[in-house]
Amino acid sequence: DLANESNVRRVLNWLGEHKMIQVLAIYLAFSWVILEVTDVFIDKLALPAWFFPAAIILLLIGLAVVTATAIVEHGAPTSGEAGAEPQPLPKELLAGKFPSLTWPRAILGGVLAFGALTIAGFIWVATRGGAEDEVLAALENNIVVLPFHTTGAGLEVWREGLMDVLSANLDGVGDLRSVDGRAVMSRWRKRFGDGEAPADEGVALAADMGARWAVHGQAVELGGQVRLDTRVYSAVTGELIATSSVLGTPDSILALTEGVTLELLRELGEEQGLGDRGRAFTSTSLEAVQEYLDGERARRHWDWDVAIESYERALEIDSTFAMAAVRLSESYGWRYSVNHPAVVTNAEHALRFADRLPPRDRSILEFNNAFKQGRAVEAISLARRLTDRYPSDPEAWYGLGEAYYHLGSFLSVPRGEISPPFERAVALDSTFNAPLVHLIELAGRSADRAALDRFVAASLANDSTSDNSKVIRLTRTLLAADAADSTAVGESLEALSFDDLRRLLLDILGPPNVDLVKQVSHQMADPRHTVEERSRGLYFWINLTEVWLGRPSAAQEALDAAERLNADPERVAFFQLANLTYSGADPSLTERSFARAEALGIFGTLDGRWVIAAYHLKNGELEVAEAHADTLMLLADSLEAAGDTSQARSGRALSAGMNGLVAGRRGQHQEATEILRGAIPSASRFGDAWIGAGEQLLGLAASLVELGQVAEAIRVLEGFEINSYHEVPAALFQGRLLEQQGERERAIRAYSKVAALLRYCEPQFTPQREVAERALARLTAEG
């Protein structure tokens, strides 16, 4: 203790005698001046927020440097050994001289620190123009319409309804871009729940979403009148920059919103060149718009039956209501399938009035039209353009995911690119169930339990009572259970409707779930379903599942049972032809199948003609296959003359694709590659297009390998997701190529798929399974 006390006294004496305290005081005072000047600079030069903390850090570093320099130059006091006498100090220091550690030296440390900071600041000021311009460009046109506060009977529907109307009205006027209301409500609920919030907090939310302006307002009933009070704030500064207040009767609320729009735009300085932009929903009927808004609420809660009824009533009231037709088309697609006739007819109906839509909705309509017609290149290009223009729009990201999910295989889109757009849509709007449905399907098919649980929980948080939620819960339960041996699984399936079983199958289709897929598909032929449903369950789901698993005899039994029901003879005849061509079906059925197809007019359809051409190609009858390719071209010309340009485009692409496959069989691989690269995307469409596309993709991969372009061939083969006729040969081919390239892990995944799918195969497919099993044994042994 005495030694420590002596050391402390020695240090204090040394500091006092040699003016260190004075120097430190001078440095700290100078630092205070620097910080005051810095604070002024931050305001005057609009320097970044990090500038002031950086000044403090640099000045502290300067303090350490000044202190260390003094110690090094003049010798720090040493404690010596315990009990040792203090060493005498140098004479010049005893005399109070301090030649090198004077107050200018202290100031110099501060000047150096401040100089470094100033240089950093000027570099930031000089270079910030580009970065700041980029930020401003992102903010420059974005406007967020917040949910309105509503008071009065019958106005609740307008809380979000006014968001939708004003967002659509403002979008595309000049360079304005409205942030999608779905994303706004998602952020709002996370921050404020379903309640209200003060204007300043709503404006802060808009700023967090990258908007430049925020619209906040209220709708109030006053003695039989409705008053709309609307304010536009700068989301950057919080300043109020535009106001509007209009009063009218409840049945004039649409006209009131048009007036509000024009007043706000006038104050924003956008009154020039507005044109007829005030009716974004293309309807002047309040009743029709109210039905539309009811449909929107049902759509957000995944209640497709109610949504369809509401949109149809809106169109009955106003047949020119383009947005109602757009939503009706989408709702039919989700409730039934993308092949439902109402999907196309309502999309075409909306197109007739597309010029009345705001830019964003018109762009989405153009994308939907290209997507539903299967125009892969155009649809994906339009979706990417939408995400570039509206990066905060969850519907744009969902559209890109849809295009990748349904059409990506035609363009060899890697599977890893399918999920991110859906995840981006959900991040922007956690209540958006449509992308969650596809994410659940992708996770279920790949047996990614962690991802499945996450997406199921997110979906159920939005919707816990609909039929869809029931299927989602069952998906999670079944994939966690031992589906092959569980009696409970069978009992739970028996309670499901045909449509529920279809949804469940879409969630679980994948090699890890083979046993469960078989169980579910066979439930679709149960007598509890209608004859039409049982027929489809037999010729489509059971037949294609058995084909997928290498069981052509079991597939034929399903087709025979469907033929006896006689509910859809054309589809049964078509799949009989496809099975003969691709699945190893009994050749003795050929003559009967051909005669039945001829009688039912199957060869007069694009898909029927393709399959018969492929049958002859498989048997090496190249000239006959070419003749059928010519017939496909004639069919395309007939469709063009009849006004069906979409089918005509597909027919020409199928004709070219068949010629490309023939060229590959003849060893003309360069020609085959060029033809198939152009034909495959153009042949894309919904329906049975996947059959022809699968064969063309395999043919393209084979020709690429012959040309030495193995990496591209592997990418082409990765496009196969679920393809009953071609997935096994594609995976086997891919496994061989990956093994040759030394891609051990990826090769194991490809071979594992083959082994899983052919686990219960019939004898003619046993050699393929054994090839995969031997490869797996070889590769795992190497590991």
Side-chain angles (χ1 to χ4, degrees), residues 22 78 82 197 264 680 704:
Q22 295 96 312
T78 57
L264 295 180
I680 293 169
L704 287 169

Side-chain angles (χ1 to χ4, degrees), residues 15-306:
L15 289 174
E17 292 172 358
H18 303 291
K19 301 184 180 180
M20 180 66 80
I21 292 177
Q22 295 96 312
V23 172
L24 291 175
I26 292 171
Y27 182 87
L28 292 174
F30 187 73
S31 298
W32 177 81
V33 173
I34 289 176
L35 291 176
E36 288 297 309
V37 173
T38 299
D39 193 37
V40 173
F41 277 12
I42 287 174
D43 290 336
K44 298 298 183 184
L45 298 180
L47 293 171
W50 52 260
F51 201 82
F52 194 84
I56 295 174
I57 292 170
L58 285 173
L59 289 170
L60 289 174
I61 293 173
L63 175 62
V65 170
V66 168
T67 305
T69 301
I71 292 172
V72 170
E73 288 187 3
H74 302 287
T78 57
S79 60
E81 296 179 4
E85 292 294 328
Q87 297 296 317
L89 295 173
K91 292 181 179 180
E92 63 273 18
L93 296 181
L94 287 173
K97 295 179 180 179
F98 203 46
S100 59
L101 189 59
T102 58
W103 66 266
R105 186 66 70 88
I107 294 177
L108 178 61
V111 169
L112 290 175
F114 184 67
L117 186 64
T118 303
I119 291 171
F122 276 108
I123 291 174
W124 185 88
V125 170
T127 59
R128 70 173 176 164
E132 186 178 69
D133 288 346
E134 183 177 341
V135 171
L136 288 177
L139 296 174
E140 164 171 60
N141 307 316
N142 286 356
I143 187 165
V144 162
V145 181
L146 300 165
F148 271 56
H149 174 70
T150 57
T151 304
L155 292 181
E156 178 58 29
V157 70
W158 292 103
R159 180 174 187 260
E160 295 181 27
L162 284 166
M163 284 179 61
D164 294 335
V165 173
L166 284 174
S167 292
N169 284 355
L170 293 168
D171 186 49
V173 179
D175 291 325
L176 286 179
R177 298 181 188 176
S178 296
V179 176
D180 184 66
R182 192 191 293 273
V184 177
M185 283 308 302
S186 177
R187 290 286 190 94
W188 184 277
R189 290 190 179 101
K190 285 179 182 177
R191 190 170 298 188
F192 309 119
D194 288 321
E196 306 295 336
D200 58 339
E201 294 186 24
V203 172
L205 181 146
D208 291 344
M209 296 186 72
R212 184 165 189 142
W213 295 294
V215 179
H216 188 274
Q218 63 177 355
V220 182
E221 183 186 20
L222 297 171
Q225 299 272 61
V226 173
R227 191 181 74 198
L228 296 184
D229 296 316
T230 312
R231 307 287 182 265
V232 178
Y233 296 86
S234 166
V236 178
T237 66
E239 177 188 2
L240 176 64
I241 58 175
T243 64
S244 170
S245 183
V246 295
L247 183 69
T249 60
D251 60 1
S252 67
I253 197 165
L254 283 180
L256 295 180
T257 61
E258 293 175 24
V260 166
T261 302
L262 294 174
E263 279 195 39
L264 295 180
L265 291 171
R266 191 173 295 113
E267 291 201 46
L268 284 170
E270 295 288 348
E271 71 274 17
Q272 300 298 320
L274 295 180
D276 185 18
R277 301 288 182 92
R279 295 174 179 172
F281 280 104
T282 72
S283 178
T284 57
S285 167
L286 176 63
E287 188 180 357
V289 171
Q290 286 176 323
E291 291 289 355
Y292 171 86
L293 294 175
D294 285 340
E296 288 289 272
R297 287 197 294 183
R299 174 174 173 262
R300 286 167 182 158
H301 290 88
W302 208 253
D303 192 345
W304 297 114
D305 290 329
V306 172

Side-chain angles (χ1 to χ4, degrees), residues 549-591:
L549 303 180
R551 293 163 51 82
S553 297
Q556 184 57 47
E557 291 175 6
L559 290 177
D560 289 342
E563 187 175 343
R564 288 191 294 272
L565 290 175
N566 200 33
D568 198 346
E570 292 82 4
R571 298 296 289 157
V572 176
F574 169 77
F575 280 110
Q576 178 63 72
L577 277 179
N579 287 9
L580 281 168
T581 302
Y582 297 116
S583 74
D586 185 353
S588 66
L589 299 170
T590 303
E591 185 175 346

Side-chain angles (χ1 to χ4, degrees), residues 50 152 227 276 299 371 449 511 547 705 722 725:
W50 52 260
R227 191 181 74 198
D276 185 18
R299 174 174 173 262
F371 171 71
R449 183 60 193 274
V547 166
V705 169
I722 302 296
Y725 292 120

Side-chain angles (χ1 to χ4, degrees), residues 402-588:
E402 278 277 88
Y404 284 166
Y405 183 87
H406 292 286
L407 302 174
S409 62
F410 296 100
L411 299 177
S412 300
V413 173
R415 294 179 194 174
E417 292 185 16
I418 297 175
S419 292
F422 289 138
E423 293 180 2
R424 176 64 175 156
V426 174
L428 289 166
D429 178 8
S430 60
T431 68
F432 196 179
N433 255 2
L436 282 169
V437 167
H438 284 320
L439 288 169
I440 289 168
E441 290 171 356
L442 292 167
R445 292 174 186 179
S446 61
D448 186 342
R449 183 60 193 274
L452 179 68
D453 287 344
R454 185 169 75 254
F455 298 136
V456 165
S459 180
L460 293 178
N462 302 327
D463 164 33
S464 60
T465 59
S466 71
D467 288 341
N468 183 67
S469 67
K470 175 178 65 178
V471 172
I472 286 174
R473 285 192 185 91
L474 187 56
T475 296
R476 181 172 58 184
T477 301
L478 294 182
L479 291 180
D482 183 357
D485 303 320
S486 174
T487 304
V489 169
E491 293 174 352
S492 62
L493 296 180
E494 290 171 1
L496 296 182
S497 69
F498 185 88
D499 193 57
D500 289 343
L501 290 166
R502 179 182 67 85
R503 282 285 312 118
L504 179 58
L505 267 177
L506 292 174
D507 287 351
I508 63 174
L509 278 175
N513 311 319
V514 168
D515 294 311
L516 184 56
V517 170
K518 280 174 61 67
Q519 275 188 282
V520 177
S521 64
H522 280 268
Q523 278 287 330
M524 301 180 86
D526 191 85
R528 71 179 182 273
H529 307 306
T530 68
V531 172
E532 290 76 12
E533 290 173 339
R534 288 160 55 202
S535 177
R536 180 167 176 77
L538 286 161
Y539 72 70
F540 190 84
W541 292 105
I542 298 177
N543 167 52
L544 291 179
T545 296
E546 298 293 2
V547 166
W548 192 43
L549 303 180
R551 293 163 51 82
S553 297
Q556 184 57 47
E557 291 175 6
L559 290 177
D560 289 342
E563 187 175 343
R564 288 191 294 272
L565 290 175
N566 200 33
D568 198 346
E570 292 82 4
R571 298 296 289 157
V572 176
F574 169 77
F575 280 110
Q576 178 63 72
L577 277 179
N579 287 9
L580 281 168
T581 302
Y582 297 116
S583 74
D586 185 353
S588 66

